[in-house]
Amino acid sequence: MQKIKDKNFDLSESEFEKLKHDLIQGDDALFKQIFLSQVEESIQYIVRQFNAEYNEAYDSVIETLVTFHKRIADGKVKHGNLRFLFTQMASQYYQGMKKRASKMRVVEENFVNLSFDDETYSEDQIEKLKVAWEQLGEDCKKVLKMNYYMDMNLAEISEVTNKTHASVRKQKQRCKEKLKNLYFLNQ
Amino acid sequence: MENLNTVFSNIETPEADQKIGRAINTMLKHQLKSELKNDLKASFGIEKQREKIFRMYKMMGGIAASLVLVIAAWIALQPNADYNTLLTDYTQATPMQHPGMTKGLDNKSREVAILAYNTKKWDLAVRSFGAIDQPNANDLFYMALSKFYKGDYNAAKASFNNLPTSNYGEEVVWFKALSLMKLGELDVAKQNLESIQPGQWKYKEAQQLLKQDELKNIK
């Protein structure tokens, strides 16, 4: 039993489910508590394994944290061997970074098509969007985050939020309008 | 590269919806990344920038040291370097490098101030050192130096005069003397230069200045 917990950053399956649930609800305190405490270990692993520069290893681990955060919330990462998965992913990021490749294949069954941030928009536009986002109400942030970031469809959101499908659809539309107006207001 | 303005101008289509989704995803990832970095630094002292800064300091320190040696050698080879040339050379010598943050003294304003200082953005450095809540002796010293390098010798003089005791005592005497000379207050400047003892920082340079008529003739 302890061996399984070790493989999963000391998380039991039910604790992992709670972590996932918290992430869906927009609370990432537990995620941070668990994953940030093993960052140094992962960085050192990359440094040792690939004779990597500390900063490059740091970047790989940060990218992995962000990806892991999203994939846990998406339900694409499962309890089993999180430690191995995390290390593998960080290694993949490091190797990809070194190869300057934009996309990599990952053999681990839990995830495929691991990719770097798709920088489709300029930093400037993303900054403006961030300002608009901050001004958006919490309910809107939640529904848009669930839909876009966590890849939840409207039916799933309505289940989580105890709202009807139609009301979630309307809310999403209203929130998009609001975000758009705030975005242009900050131009 | 997509244009978010165009995407937002028509949010009705499924294609626009996907694009908005991508933009929100990118923005949230940026946000999360920066949050994680801040938390890592605050809770575990893990950060990337510091190592980079130190490496940069090391490199810049090396360059600075080489430049100082070249300038010193050049000055030594100038038998009749006049007062104004010496003063210009000394005031325009490669700025002292800030050694970087001390662990446990993390502070956003300090971080910005040090970066601004080491990249010679003197105005920003003065403002940022001034914005530190509880500045220590080093912060105040580097704020005074920022004013000096900025060319605001009056402000620099005032700051050097009001510095608490620190490890930078010898440096303070030298830079205060230079500020005073720049302000034409040669008598006080001379006293400062004379207080620099053999073996102390800038002793040779001080002696060289004291040999110049402009200072030698002051009683």
Side-chain angles (χ1 to χ4, degrees):
Chain A
M1 194 65 176
Q2 186 55 41
K3 207 172 173 188
I4 293 175
K5 280 187 91 175
D6 283 347
K7 285 181 174 179
N8 290 282
F9 303 121
D10 243 11
L11 283 172
S12 66
E13 193 158 2
S14 59
E15 287 164 338
F16 178 75
E17 284 308 314
K18 181 186 181 320
L19 187 150
K20 184 178 155 187
H21 175 264
D22 286 356
L23 286 184
I24 292 171
Q25 295 300 324
D27 176 2
D28 48 21
L30 185 57
F31 174 87
K32 285 178 178 172
Q33 186 194 324
I34 300 297
F35 285 91
L36 292 186
S37 61
Q38 54 75 49
V39 161
E40 185 63 30
E41 185 191 313
S42 303
I43 292 176
Q44 292 307 334
Y45 172 82
I46 304 286
V47 168
R48 278 197 314 274
Q49 190 71 12
F50 302 102
N51 198 19
E53 292 271 332
Y54 184 90
N55 281 348
E56 290 172 335
Y58 172 96
D59 279 339
S60 312
V61 173
I62 292 285
E63 289 293 341
T64 308
L65 279 173
V66 173
T67 306
F68 233 65
H69 183 278
K70 180 164 162 42
R71 285 177 182 253
I72 291 175
D74 285 352
K76 288 177 184 163
V77 167
K78 292 183 172 51
H79 189 265
N81 197 343
L82 295 174
R83 195 182 288 278
F84 173 76
L85 210 56
F86 190 89
T87 315
Q88 281 294 100
M89 199 186 270
S91 304
Q92 294 280 348
Y93 266 119
Y94 173 75
Q95 288 171 309
M97 206 183 278
K98 294 305 280 182
K99 287 177 196 163
R100 297 176 187 279
S102 60
K103 287 196 174 175
M104 296 172 287
R105 264 185 75 83
V106 178
V107 290
E108 174 59 45
E109 59 178 346
N110 268 316
F111 50 90
V112 288
N113 296 328
L114 181 61
S115 64
F116 286 107
D117 263 355
D118 194 5
E119 299 293 355
T120 320
Y121 301 97
S122 69
E123 286 275 334
D124 182 46
Q125 288 182 340
I126 292 298
E127 271 309 307
K128 283 178 189 159
L129 181 61
K130 203 186 270 184
V131 174
W133 180 264
E134 290 307 325
Q135 294 167 299
L136 206 60
E138 286 307 313
D139 286 347
C140 274
K141 281 184 193 171
K142 196 170 174 180
V143 79
L144 293 181
K145 196 172 173 179
M146 282 179 178
N147 188 216
Y148 294 124
Y149 184 74
M150 295 169 187
D151 285 337
M152 290 167 73
N153 60 35
L154 298 185
E156 288 167 324
I157 297 173
S158 63
E159 203 174 305
V160 170
T161 55
N162 285 325
K163 289 178 181 167
T164 64
H165 188 280
S167 101
V168 172
R169 186 169 44 81
K170 279 181 200 159
Q171 189 189 5
K172 180 191 165 186
Q173 192 55 31
R174 270 200 312 275
C175 293
K176 271 198 319 188
E177 285 284 350
K178 224 174 190 176
L179 185 64
K180 167 190 163 178
N181 292 338
L182 286 167
Y183 178 82
F184 284 121
L185 203 69
N186 291 320
Q187 294 286 309
Chain B
M1 188 153 297
E2 294 277 1
N3 186 339
L4 204 45
N5 294 8
T6 317
V7 173
F8 267 130
S9 57
N10 176 16
I11 60 173
E12 304 304 328
T13 65
E15 196 196 354
D17 192 61
Q18 277 186 357
K19 287 178 179 177
I20 291 170
R22 268 210 300 277
I24 289 176
N25 265 336
T26 308
M27 183 269 299
L28 288 174
K29 280 183 186 174
H30 276 229
Q31 210 172 31
L32 176 65
K33 207 182 283 185
S34 121
E35 256 180 59
L36 292 172
K37 285 179 177 179
N38 289 339
D39 289 350
L40 266 178
K41 187 177 163 188
S43 307
F44 299 92
I46 300 171
E47 62 177 320
K48 177 185 174 188
Q49 206 180 20
R50 179 172 296 172
E51 200 205 11
K52 254 190 175 171
I53 289 173
F54 280 138
R55 206 181 303 148
M56 187 177 79
Y57 290 161
K58 258 189 185 171
M59 193 179 74
M60 288 171 91
I63 294 169
S66 311
L67 279 173
V68 167
L69 279 176
V70 170
I71 291 167
W74 182 80
I75 289 168
L77 292 171
Q78 304 297 308
N80 296 316
D82 65 35
Y83 170 79
N84 287 322
T85 312
L86 280 177
L87 184 55
T88 307
D89 287 343
Y90 292 150
T91 48
Q92 292 179 1
T94 308
M96 278 180 69
Q97 284 295 295
H98 194 295
M101 302 262 279
T102 306
K103 204 167 182 179
L105 288 177
D106 294 359
N107 173 296
K108 194 70 201 165
S109 296
R110 184 176 284 122
E111 200 177 313
V112 173
I114 294 172
L115 271 175
Y117 177 89
N118 279 337
T119 49
K120 301 182 186 175
K121 291 175 181 141
W122 308 123
D123 279 322
L124 180 61
V126 170
R127 280 201 309 277
S128 306
F129 277 121
I132 298 174
D133 273 348
Q134 291 175 313
N136 58 32
N138 284 6
D139 297 327
L140 295 172
F141 169 66
Y142 280 99
M143 178 159 76
L145 264 191
S146 305
K147 291 173 183 172
F148 172 85
Y149 289 126
K150 190 185 152 191
D152 190 349
Y153 299 111
N154 259 319
K157 182 184 91 174
S159 293
F160 285 128
N161 278 335
N162 291 315
L163 283 180
T165 313
S166 74
N167 294 331
Y168 292 106
E170 293 177 18
E171 286 85 348
V172 170
V173 175
W174 171 251
F175 284 110
K176 192 158 82 177
L178 291 180
S179 305
L180 290 164
M181 283 186 276
K182 278 292 192 182
L183 293 168
E185 297 175 33
L186 300 186
D187 46 348
V188 197
K190 186 179 179 182
Q191 286 170 20
N192 271 274
L193 291 174
E194 283 172 342
S195 74
I196 302 176
Q197 300 300 307
Q200 286 189 336
W201 199 60
K202 297 291 181 191
Y203 172 74
K204 277 185 190 166
E205 289 85 344
Q207 291 304 308
Q208 218 168 355
L209 280 166
L210 286 167
K211 279 182 203 157
Q212 305 304 313
D213 289 344
E214 286 80 354
L215 293 172
K216 201 164 66 182
N217 297 333
I218 295 172
K219 297 285 180 213

